[in-house]
Amino acid sequence: MHCLSTHQLTKRFGDHVAVDAVTLAVPTRAIYGFLGANGAGKSTTLRMVLGLLKPDSGTISYLGNDLSSGPRPLIGAVTDSRGGALYDHLTAEENLRLTCRLIGSPASGIAKALEMVDLSASGNKRVGAFSTGMRQRLAIARALLGNPRLIILDEPLNGLDPSGIRQMRALLRMLVGELGITLIVCSHLLDEVELIADHVGLMHEGRLIHQSSLKQLLKDRSRLIIQTDFQDRKKLATALAPLGSSCDIGPDETFVVNDPTSDGAPEAANRLTAMGARIFRLEQDTAKLEDIYHEYIRAAA
Amino acid sequence: MNTSAQPHNRKVSFGAVLVAEIAKLHRSLVVLLSAAVPGFVLAVSLVVTAKQGADLATLGSSTAGFWAFAMMPLGITALSVLLAQIEHGSRGWDHMLALPGVAERIFIAKGLIMWLVSGVWAATLLIGMFIQINLTELVNPDLFTGVADYSLLSGLLFKMWLASFLLGIIQLFVALWFRSFVVPLALGIGGTFAAIATAGSYEGMYFPWLMPLSMLRSDSAEAEFSLWIGVIGGIALLLLMQAVMQRKRW
């Protein structure tokens, strides 16, 4: 079962179609990287999921329940990347207590939430004195109150220093791994998304142009690049084709094995050596999410 | 932490939203404002009476007049800005309105907080006047003449507070609608100055910024009319504000 799914979700503002028949499928207990340029429709989609906007058409299903009927469930949200949407004049605990009151959750969960985000020692400090990283972690602690099964995070890594990014990455993985929470992470930091996401969805001009497992996406785009003195290309293709999904001739007379198997590189070396070929170059070209993202955007444009 | 797959479906009560709104005021500038607004009126009253003395019968109505004419509308203007900026400043609307059941209640809660805080100011002013008059009489028994009618003064301040409801909700509506504090501030200052210009007129009883002062009108029917317009208009606008604001895109 998907934690969250939408079907043909559409939102118009006047003549502008901000979200155009988006059908999302966010698996449970996973990090879903929701990517796209500014104005691509990510925020509008997620605002509809959070109940902040009403869809013009389409459905949203959360844990199998249609969100258009019945009471709205609690979905955690970290909506402001700059300051976590926290009250600076209150302490961390007071900020969390406010949310507990509003969602009818016992205040006993506050200490646990602060501990999870490593802010136990700062519970009595005013949020105005917090660093960006601390604010982001406190906003996550707040989103954890009431035990939501889904948390939506808008640019959680923005403005963090390298150690803050590392800490946040570990925290997000912990939420999924230990608590079984599903996370939707909107981010422009594609390298970071590549490190944390299990699935990705790419939005462009209101449309979802791709969604899949990130691992599969990267694997589909990886290649083995081989340069050899072996002249019989047909024989070469016959020997190396089983090591990937297809073979091509690349630039500079290179031979390319697309989507190679996990032991593709050493196996190719073995086979080439057995054929008596001299290997000038054998390179595993791992695809980057950033390149794939731009490739999809170019194709969609 | 519970890791069950059941979605959270608890219903939030209006009381919980109201208590949360009160909790937000803790350590905020609203606390300082609440001391400053009635405090300023008391300070002005002390300075004026300490030099030339006063008749206690008229001191109450003149202090209430200054309160209703200037400090109450200006204080409400500042209060509306502070209440709205607690949310605008933290960019907290999305988080707040995404919580189940909060959007349908929060704006009425904010309106009631606005009214309750201005009620606390009126009560503080009444208690402050009682203390100030008694302390002043202890120091200089000859300063005052006549007898203070606290029952009359409390009734007057209570009616002024009720009549200020419409003014308060207008200010809060504008302060919540615009992220910038400039618009509600300009409205409040402009409204107060316009009240000065229209203070003596018959039409003044229809003007929200003059409704609290209208409680001092010699024609009791006009005063009562202003009072009811202030209360009923305030309630109607509060409900409209809730309906409009919960649909606003932030």
Side-chain angles (χ1 to χ4, degrees), chain A residues 100-121:
Chain A
C100 280
R101 278 203 184 98
L102 291 171
I103 62 175
S105 177
S108 55
I110 291 174
K112 180 75 179 162
L114 285 172
E115 188 191 328
M116 278 183 178
V117 298
D118 198 20
L119 283 177
S120 295

Side-chain angles (χ1 to χ4, degrees), chain A residues 255-276:
Chain A
F255 192 81
V256 177
V257 179
N258 296 311
D259 182 18
T261 55
S262 56
D263 62 344
E267 187 54 33
N270 288 341
R271 290 185 184 195
L272 288 168
T273 309
M275 289 159 68

